[in-house]
Amino acid sequence: MDLSGVNDLRAHHIMSRRVLTIRPEASVADAVKLMLEHHISGLPVVDSAGSLVGMLCESDFLRRSEIGTEHERNRLLSMLLGAERVAGEFVKERGRKVEQVMSRRLVTANEQAALDEVADMMECRHLNHIPVMRDDRIVGIITRSDFLSAVAGSLAGASGYSGGDNQLRRAVLAALAKIAWQPIGLNVRAKDGVVSLRGVIRGENAHRAVIVTCENVPGVRRVDDRLCLQSTCPDPEDDYGGGDFVSPQMEPSTLDDEPL
């Protein structure tokens, strides 16, 4: 998987290119066997011309008569829901062919679609699979596990850091300057890849977010967290025996102890 240009990842960069498919006239038993044998949770359905006509997913088997999970509708509820809907549920819960069980409302992505667009579709529509298309042909499929593999590849391929302590410290300050949850009276030091933070933070989530921000700066090996919550932290001068703590709006003190 080539993850070069990580900020411009496209669907084709992470999709699985080996896609198992099934025909709509195939039996549900064959589809279930195929999914179990290959450990897949989604199966694209293509017709004789190779066009995508449906998707068969694990969720399509939640309500099945074989296991007693089909809907039980009394006459009044059936009337309220409408005969068409109830009949559709009956077919899906008892159908013996793939075309009777599969989902026909397809959500697909073009192979050149930006990865954040694919993530939005999966998140907003609660999807586990998205077929990837080139014109009207399926050329791949993206699952949530493909995102996991992409993250793993990106972490493993992270480049080393060759800058000095001052350069690392300035990189950390630059990263913290972009966030809205900046600590009060922040002091940052860097030594051999270890970043030390002192100051007051307004909330626990903001506290964690500052640590994560620092950990994501290239070259940071560890964060020495000396931040404390505003409600529990004593005055900085009392806690650290004095010192030149300033707010982000004030002028910095020294090079070694420059606040944000």
Side-chain angles (χ1 to χ4, degrees):
M1 183 185 301
D2 180 12
L3 295 181
S4 58
V6 66
N7 293 325
D8 192 33
L9 284 177
R10 303 285 171 174
H12 68 86
H13 286 124
I14 74 165
M15 70 182 187
S16 301
R17 298 178 183 274
R18 181 175 177 268
V19 185
L20 292 176
T21 62
I22 197 165
R23 296 281 288 275
E25 63 270 19
S27 70
V28 167
D30 286 342
V32 170
K33 181 180 179 182
L34 187 63
M35 293 172 72
L36 291 174
E37 285 181 349
H38 293 274
H39 307 285
I40 56 177
S41 56
L43 194 58
V45 184
V46 298
D47 62 17
S48 58
S51 298
L52 183 68
V53 294
M55 276 291 296
L56 193 63
C57 302
E58 288 175 331
S59 58
D60 293 316
F61 297 99
L62 290 177
R63 298 284 187 177
R64 288 292 296 182
S65 60
E66 296 89 346
I67 56 176
T69 57
E70 72 274 27
H71 289 98
E72 294 292 342
R73 310 291 196 192
N74 59 41
R75 181 170 296 182
L76 177 59
L77 185 56
S78 296
M79 290 177 60
L80 292 174
L81 292 174
E84 187 67 16
R85 174 174 171 177
V86 174
E89 290 177 349
F90 182 90
V91 172
K92 191 174 183 68
E93 294 164 355
R94 294 168 174 81
R96 294 295 185 225
K97 293 182 180 179
V98 169
E99 62 187 352
Q100 297 167 331
V101 179
M102 69 183 188
S103 299
R104 297 176 183 272
R105 293 182 179 178
L106 296 173
V107 178
T108 64
N110 183 275
E111 62 180 334
Q112 295 298 330
L115 203 55
D116 62 332
E117 295 177 7
V118 179
D120 284 342
M121 286 191 289
M122 297 185 79
E123 186 176 49
C124 295
R125 301 182 183 226
H126 307 288
L127 300 173
N128 291 321
H129 319 81
I130 290 189
V132 181
M133 311 297 291
R134 180 184 301 155
D135 297 326
D136 61 346
R137 289 288 185 269
I138 181 170
V139 293
I141 190 167
I142 293 179
T143 67
R144 290 177 182 249
S145 62
D146 291 318
F147 280 86
L148 183 65
S149 298
V151 171
S154 179
L155 291 174
S159 59
Y161 181 80
S162 58
D165 292 340
N166 285 338
Q167 185 176 348
L168 178 60
R169 180 177 170 281
R170 293 184 184 280
V172 170
L173 288 170
L176 292 174
K178 299 176 182 178
I179 61 178
W181 44 80
Q182 297 170 356
I184 302 170
L186 174 66
N187 287 80
V188 177
R189 292 191 180 189
K191 180 68 173 177
D192 298 329
V194 178
V195 172
S196 299
L197 300 176
R198 293 187 295 171
V200 183
I201 197 72
R202 292 185 175 86
E204 189 55 46
N205 284 337
H207 187 183
R208 288 193 290 264
V210 166
I211 302 304
V212 169
T213 299
C214 294
E215 289 174 341
N216 275 277
V217 175
V220 174
R221 297 189 297 106
R222 181 170 62 84
V223 176
D224 179 15
D225 175 21
R226 301 184 186 183
L227 297 171
C228 56
L229 294 178
Q230 190 174 36
S231 59
T232 61
C233 190
D235 291 338
E237 293 186 0
D238 294 337
D239 190 23
Y240 297 109
D244 190 9
F245 277 76
V246 296
S247 69
Q249 290 76 29
M250 296 177 65
E251 290 296 324
S253 52
T254 65
L255 180 63
D256 291 334
D257 207 20
E258 181 183 339
L260 182 63

